[in-house]
Structures are given as structure tokens and as C-alpha cells.
Amino acid sequence: MNAREASESSLIRELTGRRGSRRPVWFMRQAGRSLPEYRAAREGTGMLESCLMPELAAEITLQPVRRHDVDAGIFFSDIVVPLKLAGVDVDIKPGVGPVLGAPIRTAADIDALPELEDGALEPIREAVRLTVEQLGEKPLIGFAGAPFTLAAYMVEGRPSRDHLGPRTMMHADPGAWRALCEWTARASGRFLKAQLEAGASAGQLFDSWAGSLGLEDYRRHVQPASAAVFSAVSGLGKPLIHFGTGTSELLGAMKEAGADAVGVDYRLSLSEANRRLGGAVPLQGNIDPALLKAPREVLEAHVRQVVREGAEAPGHVVNLGHGVPADTDPDVLTRVVELVHSIEYPAEP
Ligand code: 1CP
């Protein structure tokens, strides 16, 4: 898609606070295990290996766009792909998630981390180019993991619930913590920049686990590194979304890190999120994924409420409050898209 078409897409209009002709909707984890065509395409190929096969990554990115008529593709990759491309021993284990061969625990471990070279990102650029070519007039969203969420996997060495390891490190050895966040910020910044330069129309920074932090720790030990990722790409003029879960108390600080729009999880109503952000920030969210399995009329009433509350903000992109659960019936998602598109939408005066 050329730059003019992209800037007029409903997604980009809402993210920049301009109403368009249709209310945009996409879903976090719209590509993935909920789709039989995804399971077929991935058969016999490892997760990280798939991310580095440009034709396969493009095909998987396009699958949910074809099936659901969502208003954007989200690039099929993973937040740990830049670690892998830098040469860190990381894998994504089925049913578990990212696992490191050797967790990063000391200043010496951090010093020894290999730097992500720009040339290593070529498979990512190629996959984005192929995807954008086939998406036609729909925009592609690029993404990266925020420094805290990435560092949490690196320190714990695997998924964790309370992220005690990284939260201890930021206080016990603030110098090492800062160095680790600077490393992850550089890696994520380069990964996101490669996608935006190759043709993605917007970017999302996932700080999925930032909700385990209090506001003071977030501001002192995390926000500067997230701000560094935003500033690495802010010159490209593409709207940037900042999302985390359990981050109701952090929304203002996440906006201040340099985002144009804020993703809200399912725990906070969009009306309240809009109030907390001074009515000045486009919002994304926040259908509760749990309701995808509720009776049709219960889900429909919830979606209508999300849409009503989103209309109070200067822009609204409909999404879930976190990712699509793997066992979701894909037809339910298709119906949510139809419903969102069918609700009367105020045209620009
Ligand atoms: O075998 C499989 O199918 C692997 C499942 C899977 C998929 C489809 C993983 C492992 N990652 C992905 C793709 C992915 N990951 C995308 C693109 C697809 C899309 O959104 O449609 C994106 C944007 C991500 C980002 C990602 N990876 C996040 C942030 C978003 C979120 O869900 O909060 C996180 C936290 C990860 C880590 C990760 N990768 C995979 C899993 C299962 C996890 C989470 C593990 C945990 O619980 O800590």
C-alpha cells in the first residue's frame, strides 16, 4: 500500500484522532492457534523457524485478514525474534512460550549479550514487504516487545507469573538492570524500525507484563527504556500504540513514554481509561476475551458497550483486552467484526 492510502485507512485515522468512514477492529493474536489454517501451515515447523521464513510468515499474517475481514494485519512474529537474531540461545516451546538456554542474571551475563546487527533483520524486512504487497489497501501493524517484558523473560529464563527475578534485579543491581533494559531497547527498537521501514503502517509496543510493577518502579526503572524504543522510530511518522495488561495505574506513564495511542486491557472500562488520560488520547481495546465463549447476546451487549465507551475518546480501535485464546471458535471472531462494522458510525462533520 502506498503512504497516502495507508494514512487514510480507518486504523490510521483513529490512531491519529481523526474519525473515518468505518470503525476499525483487529485482534491481538488474531493469527495463531485459533485458526485451523494456521495449524495446517505451521505443521512440522518450529515457531521461531516459521517467523524466519518470509513466505510462511506473510501467509500466516494474511490468514485472519482474509477470514475475518479485520481492518489490519498484525505481523506474524514474536517478541523474542530479535533475541534469536542477535544470537541469544532462545526457543519457543509448544505449550510453554519463550525459554532461554541460559537465563541472564548478572552484569557479566549482560555484558556478554551479542548485539543485534541490522543485517540479521533481512528475513523480517522481506516478510513485511511480501505481506504489505498482498494486503492491498489494509494496513500492517508492526510490533516489538517492550524492554521490561523482554527482560522479564531473559531474567526468569521462561514465562513467569509474578516476575520476581526482574523486579528484584532492578533494586538489587540497578546498574545491571539499566544495562539489560538498554540492550533490550536497542534490539526491540531495531526490530520495530525494520518493520516500519519495510512498509508496516503503524507499530505496537507490547509491555504485556508491566502490570506487575507499581507506578514508581515503572517510572524509574522501565519507562526510560520504553521511551528509547519509541524515540528510535518516532521519526518515521507512523502511529505507535503502547499496550500492557494489568496496567490501569500506568496508562498515563505509558502514554508519556512516547505513544500516540494506548491499548487498554479488559480490567478497566474505556470510559474510565479515557478519563484517566484526560480525554486526549486515542484508545484501543478492550473486549474481554472471556466473553468470546459467553452466549451470543451477552457478547453482543458487551461489544456494543465497548464501542459506545470508545466513542468518548478522540479515536478508538476496537480490539480485545488481551490476545485471542487458542481455543476460541474463529466464527465468533468473524461475527464480532461484522457486528462492529454494522454499528452506526459517526462520519466526520
Ligand atoms: O506454537 C504456537 O502456535 C506458538 C504460539 C505463539 C504465537 C502464535 C507464540 C508463542 N507467539 C505467537 C505469535 C505472536 N506473538 C504474535 C503475532 C501473532 C498475532 O498477534 O496474531 C505477537 C504479536 C506476539 C507477541 C508476544 N509474544 C507477546 C505480546 C503479546 C501478548 O500476548 O501479551 C508475548 C508476551 C509473547 C511471548 C509468547 N510467545 C508465545 C507465547 C505462548 C508467549 C506467552 C508466554 C507467557 O505466557 O509468558
Side-chain angles (χ1 to χ4, degrees):
M1 168 162 47
N2 70 40
R4 208 198 77 79
E5 285 168 335
S7 69
E8 290 313 308
S9 66
S10 59
L11 177 91
I12 302 302
R13 291 186 67 97
E14 295 293 324
L15 290 176
T16 52
R18 296 170 296 147
R19 298 289 177 189
S21 56
R22 133 162 158 165
R23 185 179 281 106
V25 51
W26 67 280
F27 304 114
M28 291 183 277
R29 275 190 238 149
Q30 64 189 17
R33 284 162 299 172
S34 68
L35 300 185
E37 58 270 37
Y38 169 81
R39 298 194 294 268
R42 275 281 322 282
E43 181 104 49
T45 312
M47 174 64 196
L48 285 178
E49 200 187 338
S50 312
C51 295
L52 300 179
M53 296 166 66
E55 272 152 30
L56 181 58
E59 167 58 22
I60 293 175
T61 303
L62 291 159
Q63 286 176 344
V65 182
R66 287 190 205 113
R67 183 190 265 264
H68 302 307
D69 192 28
V70 282
D71 296 282
I74 171 86
F75 181 52
F76 175 75
S77 194
D78 194 82
I79 60 171
V80 298
V81 165
L83 272 59
K84 177 81 182 169
L85 291 175
V88 174
D89 177 9
V90 61
D91 199 6
I92 295 184
K93 298 240 186 304
V96 180
V99 175
L100 271 80
I104 306 299
R105 299 270 160 82
T106 66
D109 295 340
I110 297 161
D111 279 348
L113 283 169
E115 210 51 33
L116 173 61
E117 301 296 338
D118 197 56
L121 289 160
E122 198 42 40
I124 301 302
R125 282 189 278 265
E126 179 61 13
V128 168
R129 283 192 289 264
L130 289 172
T131 309
V132 168
E133 245 171 57
Q134 296 174 72
L135 267 173
E137 50 197 46
K138 292 214 173 149
L140 178 68
I141 301 170
F143 74 93
F148 173 75
T149 290
L150 266 184
Y153 284 112
M154 294 171 82
V155 175
E156 299 280 357
R158 56 190 300 111
S160 106
R161 191 191 286 260
D162 44 19
H163 311 110
L164 281 171
R167 291 194 297 112
T168 300
M169 192 198 273
M170 68 178 65
H171 292 281
D173 193 347
W177 174 255
R178 194 173 325 110
L180 178 56
C181 283
E182 285 169 4
W183 187 92
T184 54
R186 286 195 299 279
S188 277
R190 284 170 196 156
F191 179 56
L192 183 56
K193 191 165 185 218
Q195 295 165 59
L196 294 171
E197 285 181 344
S201 295
Q204 176 155 319
L205 195 63
F206 280 97
D207 210 350
S208 300
W209 312 134
S212 66
L213 298 167
L215 182 58
E216 197 181 324
D217 278 349
Y218 180 80
R219 278 197 194 283
R220 181 174 317 163
H221 296 294
V222 170
Q223 192 192 45
S226 297
V229 181
F230 283 118
S231 76
V233 295
S234 62
L236 300 172
K238 306 201 173 179
L240 302 169
I241 309 160
H242 204 175
F243 169 78
T245 66
T247 46
S248 303
E249 306 308 316
L250 307 181
L251 293 180
M254 289 174 70
K255 157 68 186 155
E256 282 163 25
D260 299 291
V262 170
V264 182
D265 86 346
Y266 56 87
R267 292 170 181 85
L268 192 70
S269 72
L270 290 183
S271 288
E272 177 58 16
N274 185 48
R275 193 192 65 73
R276 291 184 185 192
L277 289 163
V281 181
L283 299 180
Q284 178 173 277
N286 68 350
I287 298 167
D288 186 344
L291 270 69
L292 297 172
K293 280 203 178 156
R296 193 189 277 237
E297 59 285 3
V298 175
L299 173 60
E300 177 172 339
H302 175 60
V303 170
R304 287 184 184 278
Q305 180 172 348
V306 165
V307 163
R308 241 185 346 264
E309 294 192 21
E312 295 167 18
H316 179 212
V317 175
V318 180
N319 204 315
L320 302 181
H322 199 181
V324 174
D327 62 352
T328 302
D329 172 358
D331 291 344
V332 171
L333 295 176
T334 306
R335 285 204 305 270
V336 169
V337 174
E338 284 166 3
L339 173 61
V340 169
H341 287 158
S342 76
I343 300 173
E344 200 181 323
Y345 185 68
E348 207 173 37

